[in-house]
């Protein structure tokens, strides 16, 4: 597990706060003993009480801030992780990061305090009254011992429970996504049963954990209360016999519970924190894509692209082998070839989404790896094979927050007729799966999104009209043609009609390229 950023500073600060509270506890007990034996309210007592209030409040603010920043960092990290199942990622980013609260703001501070305050109290007791100090010294360790015994029993349980919750999230999303298909094939009932069973298992696991948590709280309270009684009874008798002064007896009585209090607090927070710790381990163990480190900026405008012996592997599978390609600025290249031949992979390499296993990509003579990724992507418009839509209006899905001419782009993508049929036009809200839209309509939104970016030097089109009928395709192609001037274009053509946009046609076959004569 990689270390949590800033954890050391946090622990050091908590230790300082804990030491301060230990001092304050001692001063306060001294003052209370004086007050209760008729000595009157002293200034130290008032100061100690005020300081205790401030310390508790200050610690709350401090731990809250630290946890908020840690959580933001974890979420950012998770967003950059290699996505596996979306549902698992979603559970991690929301619930997974939230439950770390219980560990970071609840358990850790309590743990630090429980290591410092009892020691300070014990030292003070040994200096005051040996017999009471010995009783406390023997009984205080009982609290963590009992807590550890119960904890051992529940650790595996909470970890299992967290795993169960992640799986449930992943499964649920998959099922909901595929509900339409499942319904058609009459399998919806079986899935409903699975989800119901998993939810029931999760409920059971939660209740079992809660039961143990309540039981352990009871045990810890009992141990602490009995221990205090063990100190209080003999001290009472000795006070009657005149063995100790009233002030000493009071001091011991006020101090003894303070030795158990932080341990009890840590014990009760332990169970909630166990889930938080399990989640934290899980979140930190997620592999993170190494960030691209390029920093070079380039001048905007149609780029020259050169691929030199570019090979791409997906695990064992080789998708591109030693590809050489040179595209002049402003040239329009069409890639053709059977499905699975590596056309989309080539575009992904140009975008920088896929890093070649060997070989290099030169943009205007500069290695793509040396370019600042955000700066490079700002000059690329891309129509992916399956555009990703976001929850929001049609308009927001086209502009992606930029200032663009939505109407013109939509018209070029033949989206205007589609939008005219929507209940609220461009303001119609769509979900991230494009609910209520056909795959052709979704593709047109993706096309409009790319065409709206008229200012980019490079345009990448991946089968942009694959889901359109011939008439719409013809309209889209003639509108698109008008937007290509002065830009470098690489398009994946799945139909001959599209190659008409190109000045050069290249055939991709099993990861290799072959130039085709233009007919
Ligand atoms: P095309 O776009 O020409 O249909 P792709 O470039 O999408 O082909 O894919 C080329 C080959 O690489 C295919 O065999 C495909 O199965 C494989 N492939 C594509 N993307 C991935 C990926 N993310 N992980 C593993 N294999 C992939
Ligand atoms: Mg493809």
């Amino acid at each position: 597990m990689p270390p949590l950023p800033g954890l050391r500073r946090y622990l050091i600060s908590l230790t300082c706060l804990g030491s301060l509270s230990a001092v304050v506890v001692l001063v306060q007990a001294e003052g209370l003993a004086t007050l209760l034996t008729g000595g009157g309210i002293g200034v130290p007592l008032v100061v100690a009480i005020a300081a205790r209030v401030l310390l508790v409040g200050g610690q709350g603010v401090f731990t809250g801030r630290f946890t908020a920043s840690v959580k933001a960092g974890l979420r950012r990290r998770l967003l950059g992780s290699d996505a596996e199942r979306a549902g698992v990622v979603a559970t991690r980013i929301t619930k997974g990061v939230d439950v770390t609260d219980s560990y970071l703001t609840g358990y850790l501070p309590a743990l630090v305090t429980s290591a410092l305050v009892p020691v300070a109290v014990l030292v003070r007791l040994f200096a005051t009254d040996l017999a009471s100090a010995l009783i406390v010294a023997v009984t205080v360790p009982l609290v963590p011992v009992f807590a550890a015994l119960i904890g051992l029993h529940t650790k595996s349980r909470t970890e299992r429970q967290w795993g169960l919750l992640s799986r449930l999230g992943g499964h649920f999303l998959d099922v909901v996504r595929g509900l339409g298909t499942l319904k058609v094939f009459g399998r919806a009932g079986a899935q409903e049963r699975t989800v119901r069973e998993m939810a029931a298992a999760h409920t059971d696991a939660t209740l079992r954990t809660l039961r143990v948590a309540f039981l352990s709280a009871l045990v810890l309270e009992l141990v602490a209360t009995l221990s205090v009684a063990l100190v209080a009874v003999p001290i009472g008798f000795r006070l009657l016999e005149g063995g100790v002064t009233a002030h000493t007896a009071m001091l011991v009585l006020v101090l003894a519970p303070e030795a158990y209090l932080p341990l009890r607090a840590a014990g009760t927070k332990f169970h909630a924190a166990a889930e938080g710790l399990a989640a934290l381990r899980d979140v930190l163990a997620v592999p993170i894509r190494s960030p691209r480190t390029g920093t070079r900026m380039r001048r905007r405008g149609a780029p020259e692209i050169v691929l030199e012996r570019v090979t791409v592997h997906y695990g064992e599978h080789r998708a591109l082998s030693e590809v050489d390609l040179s595209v002049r600025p402003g040239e329009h290249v069409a890639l053709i070839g059977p499905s699975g031949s590596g056309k989309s992979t080539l575009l992904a390499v140009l975008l920088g989404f896929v890093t070649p296993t060997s070989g290099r990509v030169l943009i205007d003579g500069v290695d793509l790896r040396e370019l600042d990724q955000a700066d490079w992507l700002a000059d690329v418009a891309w129509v992916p094979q399956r555009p990703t839509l976001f929850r929001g209006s049609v308009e927001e899905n086209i502009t992606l927050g930029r200032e663009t001419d939505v109407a013109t782009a939509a018209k070029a993508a033949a989206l205007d007729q589609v939008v005219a049929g929507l209940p609220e036009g461009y303001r119609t809200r769509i979900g991230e799966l494009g609910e209520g839209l056909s795959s052709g309509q979704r593709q047109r939104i993706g096309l409009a999104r790319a065409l709206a970016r008229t200012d980019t030097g490079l345009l990448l089109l991946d089968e942009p009209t694959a889901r359109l009928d011939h008439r719409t395709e013809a309209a889209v192609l003639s509108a698109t043609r008008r937007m290509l001037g002065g830009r470098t274009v690489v398009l994946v053509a799945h139909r001959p009609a599209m190659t008409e946009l190109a000045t050069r046609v290249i055939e991709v076959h099993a990861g290799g390229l072959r130039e085709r004569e233009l007919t």
Side-chain angles (χ1 to χ4, degrees):
M1 179 168 108
L4 198 62
L7 183 64
R8 235 166 72 126
R9 274 219 339 257
Y10 184 56
L11 285 179
I12 291 173
S13 311
L14 284 180
T15 310
C16 293
L17 285 173
S19 313
L20 268 178
S21 17
V23 172
V24 167
V25 162
L26 295 186
V27 175
Q28 184 194 316
E30 201 75 55
L32 275 178
T34 311
L35 173 68
L36 292 173
T37 47
I41 286 194
V43 179
L45 178 62
V46 178
V47 172
I49 291 177
R52 209 167 178 183
V53 170
L54 284 179
L55 273 175
V56 171
Q59 194 181 43
V61 172
F62 171 69
T63 55
R65 283 202 172 179
F66 173 78
T67 310
S69 80
V70 164
K71 277 160 60 177
L74 288 177
R75 292 206 159 101
R76 257 198 304 278
R77 200 182 127 86
L78 282 172
L79 282 175
S81 67
D82 274 326
E84 26 176 337
R85 294 165 71 189
V88 175
V89 176
T91 309
R92 276 201 190 117
I93 286 189
T94 53
K95 179 95 203 297
V97 172
D98 273 336
V99 295
T100 60
D101 248 357
S102 55
Y103 179 71
L104 293 172
T105 51
Y107 184 59
L108 265 191
L111 193 66
V112 171
T113 313
S114 74
L116 294 170
V117 173
V119 173
V121 169
L122 262 179
V123 169
R124 183 74 187 86
L125 280 179
F126 269 110
T128 314
D129 182 58
L130 188 63
S132 311
L134 282 176
I135 297 177
V136 174
V138 171
T139 51
V140 153
L142 287 180
V143 179
V145 165
F146 275 105
L149 280 179
I150 303 169
L152 275 182
H153 184 65
T154 49
K155 187 162 176 283
S156 58
R157 247 184 214 173
T158 40
E159 271 167 15
R160 208 172 50 228
Q161 187 187 351
W162 170 243
L164 203 65
L165 187 65
S166 299
R167 265 213 312 288
L168 191 66
H171 190 78
F172 206 66
L173 185 76
D174 286 351
V175 168
V176 170
R177 277 209 175 139
L179 208 56
T181 318
L182 290 168
K183 194 93 190 153
V184 167
F185 292 104
R187 296 293 300 160
Q191 284 303 323
E192 187 190 321
R193 242 185 341 270
T194 319
V195 170
R196 208 184 287 271
E197 273 163 20
M198 288 180 83
H202 183 245
T203 310
D204 281 351
T206 308
L207 279 180
R208 269 200 301 274
T209 314
L210 277 179
R211 224 176 285 147
V212 178
F214 286 135
L215 183 71
S216 78
L218 179 74
V219 170
L220 295 188
E221 293 291 313
L222 215 59
V223 170
T225 314
L226 285 178
S227 307
V228 172
L230 279 181
V231 176
V233 172
I235 233 4
F237 280 123
R238 277 162 59 209
L239 181 61
L240 284 180
E241 289 161 6
V244 286
T245 64
H247 186 269
T248 310
M250 263 309 150
L251 184 62
V252 170
L253 282 180
V254 174
L255 268 183
E258 296 280 6
Y260 304 95
L261 192 65
L263 286 164
R264 268 159 56 197
T268 47
K269 287 189 173 119
F270 174 79
H271 295 283
E275 194 189 17
L277 187 60
L280 193 62
R281 286 219 175 93
D282 181 48
V283 165
L284 285 174
V286 170
I288 299 298
R289 247 187 280 134
S290 54
R292 291 265 308 276
T293 48
T295 50
R296 285 180 64 167
M297 307 286 176
R298 59 179 283 281
R299 200 165 30 82
R300 292 272 180 282
E304 176 197 52
I305 301 170
V306 175
L307 270 67
E308 286 180 357
R309 302 171 75 79
V310 167
T311 301
V312 170
H313 280 95
Y314 292 114
E316 290 291 292
H317 178 76
R318 188 162 64 193
L320 289 178
S321 40
E322 309 229 322
V323 165
D324 284 309
L325 173 69
S326 155
V327 181
R328 285 190 307 278
E331 204 171 13
H332 302 164
V333 173
L335 304 174
I336 58 171
S339 141
S341 54
K343 306 181 297 292
S344 297
T345 302
L346 191 73
L347 297 195
V349 167
L350 295 182
L351 286 157
F353 294 168
V354 167
T355 313
T357 353
S358 66
R360 56 183 195 155
V361 182
L362 300 175
I363 307 293
D364 295 329
V366 178
D367 195 317
L368 181 57
R369 279 169 294 201
E370 289 170 21
L371 286 180
D372 178 276
Q373 192 178 24
D375 179 64
W376 167 235
L377 289 179
D379 203 25
V380 182
W382 172 48
V383 183
Q385 229 171 329
R386 270 170 222 84
T388 305
L389 301 183
F390 304 97
R391 186 169 298 283
S393 68
V394 173
E395 180 173 353
E396 285 162 353
N397 264 283
I398 295 173
T399 62
L400 295 185
R402 294 190 187 87
E403 284 286 326
T404 49
D405 184 351
V406 177
T408 310
K411 195 158 185 314
L415 186 67
D416 49 345
Q417 311 117 314
V418 177
V419 169
L422 292 175
E424 290 175 68
Y426 285 106
R427 273 193 292 280
T428 309
R429 298 188 64 77
I430 52 176
E432 94 192 63
L433 305 173
E435 293 92 295
L437 298 175
S438 73
S439 60
Q441 291 168 336
R442 269 176 264 164
Q443 188 167 38
R444 278 184 257 183
I445 292 182
L447 192 58
R449 182 188 286 167
L451 294 181
R453 303 185 55 204
T454 49
D455 55 340
T456 64
L458 178 63
L459 182 59
L460 302 175
L461 304 164
D462 199 345
E463 310 190 2
T465 57
R467 293 177 190 81
L468 306 184
D469 59 80
H470 286 283
R471 271 217 358 246
T472 317
E473 178 179 42
V476 167
L477 289 184
S478 77
T480 307
R481 183 193 304 276
R482 283 194 297 270
M483 306 184 113
L484 302 188
R487 309 164 85 182
T488 307
V489 179
V490 179
L491 58 95
V492 177
H494 58 291
R495 282 189 215 149
M498 274 195 69
T499 57
E500 284 164 22
L501 293 182
T503 49
R504 230 172 112 193
V505 178
I506 290 171
E507 189 178 348
V508 187
H509 187 78
L513 304 190
R514 194 166 58 211
E515 199 87 19
R516 272 281 205 93
E517 288 303 312
L518 263 184
T519 47

